Amino acid sequence: MAKAQSAQNDWQVGLDQLRVALPACRIEMRSADYTSAPQSGGGRQRRAAQHDAGRLAAAAAGKGLTGLPCFAGRGPDGAPDWPKGLRGSISHCADRSVAMVGDAANWCGLGVDIEQHLTTQIAQEIAPVALTQRERVTFGADPLWVALIFSAKESLFKALSPLINRRFDFDAAELCADPKGAPHLRLTCDLAPDWPAGRMIKPLLIPCRAGVLTAVALPA
Amino acid sequence: MTKDTNVTVTTTEATDFDWLESRVSKLIEDEGPIDPAESLIYYGLDSLRVMKLAAELKERGITVSFEDLAKDPTLNAWSALIDARKNG
């Protein structure tokens, strides 16, 4: 119990930052119950427990927004299927699940993602696939930046893919600085008529003690 | 034997179905049997692990993107994809 509380605290500062940045959204985190999963193996049981924790977090976030619990279904690709009038996103990392829910009148897409800190080895392994050439020149394979970029692109995918009804890959956007120096995701290709190459999208990048937390909120 | 030598030995293994099944079993940390037609998401495979596999395949000279793998995450689909890229 103390360990679970500590893990929650390791995300808490980041969650609070995200809540301040997106006051119109509700963001909740829940821990997965792994008691039915074996100590070794048990990937399926852990995944099921993560799924349940994510849906509980979504229900709590929906209740915070509307006063009623929101029960997110599951689409054919496994992505959450949100009740009419709501937008949202769920992410899992180890035994933590986070959900972000907003009113569809305010947002046309919401994406949230949490990732554990990367080791130097894993950052070096995934950088050639997760980062564009320009990002590799700018950020190298720094574990924190690789984790933030990977996570931000996950958040972008969750927010934008349902909106434009198409999937896209990690090279469809790259992290850069806008003229004021603030980090932005720049689309590298035309994804849809309203989402052409060059369009800039502001992500929220929040390093936490437990890992990294990112979000993309696309206003309606 | 240095670590680099070990990597070289590993990459000379055939990138076939058995290799793929073994790698996926390690990635999902589950030693049980994997239904080759079932989504690996249900076995606990997450995005970071899919990205690691895409990177490992790239190291082995087989270019598949994250999205190539993510859109149909089953052993059968990935094996067919890898075979197609090897032969393409």
Side-chain angles (χ1 to χ4, degrees), chain A residues 46-107:
Chain A
R46 286 199 299 275
R47 183 66 186 182
Q50 280 184 339
H51 176 272
D52 291 348
R55 268 28 185 203
L56 288 173
K63 187 172 184 181
L65 190 71
T66 67
L68 296 170
C70 113
F71 295 102
R74 189 171 199 155
D77 60 351
D81 186 13
W82 298 97
K84 193 175 179 184
L86 294 181
R87 299 274 186 263
S89 176
I90 297 173
S91 180
H92 312 284
C93 177
D95 67 339
R96 300 287 131 177
S97 295
V98 65
M100 180 164 75
V101 176
D103 191 326
N106 296 328
W107 310 104

Side-chain angles (χ1 to χ4, degrees), chain A residues 40-48 50 74-78 92 115-116 118 122 125-126 128-130 136 150 154 157 167-170, chain B residues 28-35 38 41-49 51-52 54-56 58-59 64-68 70-72:
Chain A
S40 63
R44 267 167 288 192
Q45 291 96 324
R46 286 199 299 275
R47 183 66 186 182
Q50 280 184 339
R74 189 171 199 155
D77 60 351
H92 312 284
E115 301 288 343
Q116 287 179 307
L118 300 181
I122 291 177
E125 285 173 5
I126 70 168
V129 186
R136 291 199 297 277
F150 176 85
E154 285 274 282
F157 183 90
R167 303 174 66 94
F168 52 88
D169 217 320
F170 276 68
Chain B
I28 63 176
E29 298 169 8
D30 194 334
E31 294 166 359
I34 300 173
D35 179 345
E38 189 174 359
I41 303 303
Y42 296 117
Y43 289 88
L45 195 74
D46 60 19
S47 299
L48 184 61
R49 291 177 171 92
M51 183 61 78
K52 284 174 69 175
E56 192 168 341
K58 188 175 183 179
E59 280 281 307
V64 296
S65 69
F66 174 89
E67 181 54 23
D68 289 333
K71 66 186 175 190
D72 193 0

Side-chain angles (χ1 to χ4, degrees), chain A residues 132-209:
Chain A
T132 65
Q133 173 69 25
R134 194 192 301 253
E135 287 172 324
R136 291 199 297 277
V137 168
T138 305
F139 301 101
D142 177 86
L144 179 58
W145 278 112
V146 173
L148 285 168
I149 292 168
F150 176 85
S151 181
K153 291 179 180 180
E154 285 274 282
S155 288
L156 175 66
F157 183 90
K158 293 174 186 177
L160 186 53
S161 180
L163 177 64
I164 62 177
N165 200 27
R166 65 166 284 191
R167 303 174 66 94
F168 52 88
D169 217 320
F170 276 68
D171 59 0
E174 60 189 3
L175 191 71
C176 60
D178 74 355
K180 293 179 181 174
H184 274 68
L185 287 166
R186 177 175 52 219
L187 297 184
T188 60
C189 56
D190 297 333
L191 290 178
D194 290 338
W195 298 91
R199 181 160 177 176
M200 303 280 263
I201 300 147
K202 184 182 176 189
L204 292 154
L205 310 176
I206 305 173
C208 304
R209 199 160 52 177

Side-chain angles (χ1 to χ4, degrees), chain A residues 16-40:
Chain A
D16 289 343
Q17 286 182 40
L18 188 54
R19 291 180 181 119
V20 169
L22 297 172
C25 295
R26 294 295 177 272
I27 297 133
E28 295 291 340
M29 178 173 274
R30 293 291 183 271
S31 59
D33 180 0
Y34 285 168
T35 51
S36 64
Q39 286 292 316
S40 63

